[in-house]
Amino acid sequence: MKGSEQPKKRFIDYPRQGRAGRRRWLPSWRQQLGAAAVGAAGLAGLFVTVYVQVDIPDENAASRQEATVYYWADGSQMVSEGAVNRQNVTLAQVPDSVEHAVIAAENASFYSDSGVSLSGIARAAVNMAKGEEAQGGSTITQQFVKNTYLSQDQTLKRKVKEFFIALKLDNRKSKSEILQGYLNTSYFGRNSFGIQAAANAYYGIPAKSLDPSQGAALAALLKGAEQYDPALSDANHERAVERWKWILDREVATGLMSREERARYTTFPEPRKPVTPTSQKGQTGYLVDAAKKYLRSRTDLTDRDLARGGYRIHTTFEKDKVALLAKAVEDERRRSIDPKKRAADAYVEFGAASVRPRDGAVVALYGGPDATKHFANNADTAGVPAGSAFKPFVLATALREGSTEAAEAVPGPGGPSPAVALPSALYEGLVTSAHPPFVSAGKRLGLEKIRDLALDAGLHKSSLAKLEPTFPLGTSTPSAIRLAGAYSLFSNDGNRSEPYSVTKVVHDGKPLPGLEPPEPRRVLTTEAARSVTFALRAFAWKALPQEAVAKLPQGVAAGGTGPADRMRSAWFIGNDGAPRGGLTTAVTVFRAQPGAPRLLPMEGVGGDARLFGNGIPPRIWGAYATAYAAGTAK
């Protein structure tokens, strides 16, 4: 009978017969087990398919690498950084202790693993899902694959290819061959690829002469030379020392070094100072340094990427103005500084930067006498207090907060009457470099509001001093580039333009995104900015040599330090008053003995004990500004 017929059996009993409600849609344990088996088989098949299809590509031969070229603002070539700096060595030429340090730091299971890290590829996938870079822990084999066969792109596709190529490579090459390749292709900073180039760059010796302590210091650089080259900053030095200690301890923990030997290494092996290529002598090395720093702040490019070559970097630097600024500094150095006559003239340093206010372009800088001999870039260094050059930001805060203190009538040098009433005590204090009105203003306005305006103007938070009563007097330590950029706020009608030094980067014929000039941002009203400029013109008239004032009749506005300053620095930051904002240039003079933690006193610098060197920056600025103004007029 039809009513007694049994339902036909299906190949897959789903939805399940003979079940009601939710149970009808719940797979049985056999179905779940079968699905898992099919899924596993599918994954295994996919794994095998990809493994077969992905082959080991040809090596990225160093001979095919192009130089990285830097260009002036007019498009002419400034300098090129040459071919990859690498000298291959065999593993026999690398001490065992150096190999041990690298393995302990990067991949302790190197000799026992299959060349890949599943957790690393999983982290990369998670990061990609979050919209972040596909970064994750990689084995030495995977890093060797990335260095030798693939690009440095942080994408999931590249990470997957790296995984499968590493698996194949681990089957085809011995661990010794892989480690040798890794040591010869890894980037250690200072334009050095490979352990041999690194040993020379940091210690001036071949790799075979490295001791265990030096080997651990170099192994620390594999985590990122920008963060672990101890010569680049105090923070870098601290990180390098900590990682050096960790690597030595890690060697003990992994059985690669005895505790007795570890106990012998208690002092960090300080590397020698970086050496700039002779092609970057004079100001060129400082310009390249500033451009690289800007690129690191705006893009994913690292020094390693640039050292590999192939980039075309177009800068904002104007060749004629760089030359004129250097001439102005060196002429004043020869005229005023004589260490053989005066002990106070020993260790005198100069720094300067020239910024175009309307868009923030850095058109010139002076970083020191020669980048191949004096590595620190004085135009972009923090640590030199601004002194009274900081006071315009206090005056600007008072105007932004609506101070109602009336200004006294001030004829002549300030130009037309101020657009907004100036607090008279602050006006007089700025012109005469007096301190008490600004200490009082700090109490009245609140130090936080002064700090906030300085940040809005473009000073870096890391350069700002503690909020103490002396904060309005300029205890903060901005660089010349930052201070010139911040002063541009006043000549640009209250709009702040972020300083920039690179307009375009081209790689493989394509421009890199993200390098459009920063958009100006309003910080002050036009009226408030012009009122600050009124006060700055009065200061400029008082501080500048009169011959410079006569040659620049368009209304020079400037701030700077004065005889009342005792902060071991001299500054002058001036705008030439030319149409469309002109140029704002910051000049600083200070004394710094190599290796000393603090700046030296400025009393007597240049032969005048009363001025504390404060007459020098205005003369440099005047010589530079009148020279480029004369060139523009031709």
Side-chain angles (χ1 to χ4, degrees):
M1 295 178 57
K2 290 183 179 181
S4 63
E5 289 181 359
Q6 296 294 321
K8 293 182 180 180
K9 289 187 177 181
R10 293 179 293 177
F11 181 72
I12 299 177
D13 183 21
Y14 192 84
R16 297 169 66 191
Q17 298 183 87
R19 300 289 189 273
R22 290 178 55 196
R23 295 184 64 191
R24 177 175 171 79
W25 300 98
L26 290 176
S28 68
W29 67 268
R30 291 187 180 88
Q31 290 172 334
Q32 294 179 40
L33 185 61
V38 170
L43 287 174
L46 178 63
F47 184 91
V48 171
T49 300
V50 175
Y51 183 85
V52 170
Q53 289 181 348
V54 173
D55 203 358
I56 300 175
D58 294 334
E59 291 188 7
N60 297 323
S63 61
R64 293 200 296 270
Q65 295 293 335
E66 297 181 83
T68 286
V69 183
Y70 293 82
Y71 297 90
W72 294 102
D74 64 3
S76 60
Q77 182 171 320
M78 179 196 303
V79 69
S80 65
E81 290 188 324
V84 171
N85 177 22
R86 176 188 297 137
Q87 302 96 45
N88 289 340
V89 293
T90 65
L91 211 55
Q93 295 171 289
V94 181
D96 289 346
S97 60
V98 177
E99 298 175 31
H100 294 165
V102 169
I103 290 170
E106 295 296 307
N107 184 188
S109 64
F110 171 69
Y111 280 108
S112 60
D113 64 34
S114 59
V116 296
S117 168
L118 289 172
S119 60
I121 196 74
R123 276 196 296 274
V126 170
N127 288 341
M128 285 294 291
K130 294 179 179 178
E132 301 173 358
E133 292 182 348
Q135 295 176 333
S138 295
T139 64
I140 282 176
T141 307
Q142 287 175 267
Q143 292 181 59
F144 172 54
V145 167
K146 181 175 66 173
N147 294 343
T148 309
Y149 303 104
L150 300 174
S151 70
Q152 301 297 310
D153 296 340
Q154 293 291 347
T155 63
L156 186 59
K157 180 179 179 181
R158 199 273 299 155
K159 196 77 178 175
V160 171
K161 288 184 69 175
E162 172 193 298
F163 181 89
F164 283 99
I165 294 171
L167 271 178
K168 282 195 169 183
L169 200 69
D170 194 71
N171 289 326
R172 295 186 188 181
K173 289 182 179 287
S174 68
K175 291 290 188 180
S176 295
E177 289 177 305
I178 292 171
L179 182 59
Q180 177 177 296
Y182 175 71
L183 290 173
N184 280 323
T185 58
S186 292
Y187 185 64
F188 289 85
R190 301 192 183 183
N191 200 33
S192 301
F193 286 87
I195 191 67
Q196 179 80 343
N200 277 296
Y202 287 87
Y203 293 107
I205 58 177
K208 65 181 181 181
S209 300
L210 291 168
D211 64 32
S213 182
Q214 293 168 331
L218 292 182
L221 296 165
L222 293 169
K223 193 172 178 65
E226 292 95 341
Q227 299 292 315
Y228 289 89
D229 182 344
L232 297 184
S233 68
D234 291 340
N236 269 31
H237 192 278
E238 184 177 344
R239 281 190 291 267
V241 172
E242 287 303 311
R243 187 153 179 84
W244 166 76
K245 291 178 180 177
W246 177 84
I247 289 172
L248 291 172
D249 291 341
R250 179 73 171 158
E251 288 185 69
V252 174
T254 55
L256 296 171
M257 178 182 286
S258 68
R259 293 186 181 278
E260 292 74 22
E261 184 179 9
R262 169 66 182 91
R264 295 204 296 267
Y265 307 122
T266 57
T267 303
F268 181 69
E270 297 288 351
R272 63 182 185 175
K273 293 186 179 299
V275 177
T276 303
T278 54
S279 62
Q280 296 187 21
K281 64 183 179 180
Q283 296 306 302
T284 304
Y286 303 124
L287 301 175
V288 169
D289 174 71
K292 285 182 177 179
K293 186 174 181 180
Y294 180 75
L295 285 175
R296 289 197 298 269
S297 72
R298 291 293 300 273
T299 71
D300 294 330
L301 285 177
T302 65
D303 286 347
R304 173 198 181 107
D305 298 324
L306 297 174
R308 284 182 174 274
Y311 292 89
R312 303 289 181 264
I313 300 170
H314 297 260
T315 75
T316 58
F317 304 124
E318 299 180 15
K319 189 175 184 178
D320 59 336
K321 291 185 176 63
V322 171
L324 290 173
L325 184 55
K327 184 178 187 301
V329 173
E330 294 303 332
D331 285 352
E332 181 63 28
R333 184 197 297 273
R334 285 189 291 270
R335 190 185 83 84
S336 300
I337 305 302
D338 191 348
K340 294 180 180 178
K341 284 185 179 180
R342 294 180 293 272
D345 285 355
Y347 307 114
V348 172
E349 298 284 350
F350 296 80
S354 195
V355 174
R356 193 165 60 216
R358 70 174 184 268
D359 64 354
V362 183
V363 301
L365 58 81
Y366 180 89
D370 189 333
T372 64
K373 300 174 183 177
H374 179 277
F375 183 74
N377 188 345
N378 292 342
D380 200 19
T381 185
V384 181
S388 290
F390 186 82
K391 290 176 179 176
F393 303 113
V394 182
L395 176 57
T397 304
L399 294 176
R400 188 161 78 167
E401 295 301 314
S403 175
T404 57
E405 184 183 350
E408 297 178 3
V410 184
S417 299
V420 176
L422 284 166
S424 58
L426 292 183
Y427 172 85
E428 292 294 340
L430 189 150
V431 175
T432 62
S433 300
H435 294 337
F438 291 88
V439 175
S440 298
K443 295 176 181 177
R444 183 175 67 255
L445 297 169
L447 300 179
E448 293 82 2
K449 290 183 178 178
I450 298 172
R451 176 202 61 200
D452 291 346
L453 186 135
L455 290 171
D456 289 345
L459 299 188
H460 280 156
K461 185 176 182 180
S462 60
S463 71
L464 296 183
K466 292 181 179 179
L467 297 184
E468 298 173 336
T470 55
F471 180 76
L473 305 183
T475 50
S476 298
T477 59
S479 69
I481 292 175
R482 280 283 143 189
L483 205 46
Y487 262 67
S488 292
L489 169 71
F490 309 126
S491 55
N492 200 29
D493 283 343
N495 291 304
R496 170 252 177 133
S497 295
E498 178 75 8
Y500 72 101
S501 55
V502 176
T503 59
K504 181 173 65 173
V505 175
V506 178
H507 187 248
D508 290 336
K510 299 177 182 178
L512 270 62
L515 286 172
E516 299 77 14
E519 289 291 327
R521 185 167 65 86
R522 180 161 294 282
V523 175
L524 293 174
T525 64
T526 298
E527 294 75 18
R530 292 178 178 177
S531 293
V532 176
T533 298
F534 176 89
L536 295 178
R537 284 177 177 167
F539 179 89
W541 187 85
K542 171 178 172 291
L544 275 175
Q546 289 307 297
E547 60 269 22
V549 173
K551 293 178 181 177
L552 296 165
Q554 301 185 77
V556 177
T561 53
D565 284 277
R566 296 291 188 273
M567 293 186 187
R568 304 190 176 195
S569 61
W571 284 91
F572 188 86
I573 302 95
N575 180 274
D576 56 36
R580 299 192 67 197
L583 288 180
T584 298
T585 304
V587 181
T588 185
V589 180
F590 56 95
R591 296 178 66 213
Q593 186 173 2
R598 298 188 62 194
L599 300 181
L600 299 173
M602 291 289 290
E603 187 173 5
V605 170
D608 193 332
R610 299 168 301 165
L611 289 179
F612 296 86
N614 287 296
I616 296 174
R619 291 196 293 269
I620 293 173
W621 186 92
Y624 167 63
T626 55
Y628 73 69
T632 302
K634 290 180 180 178

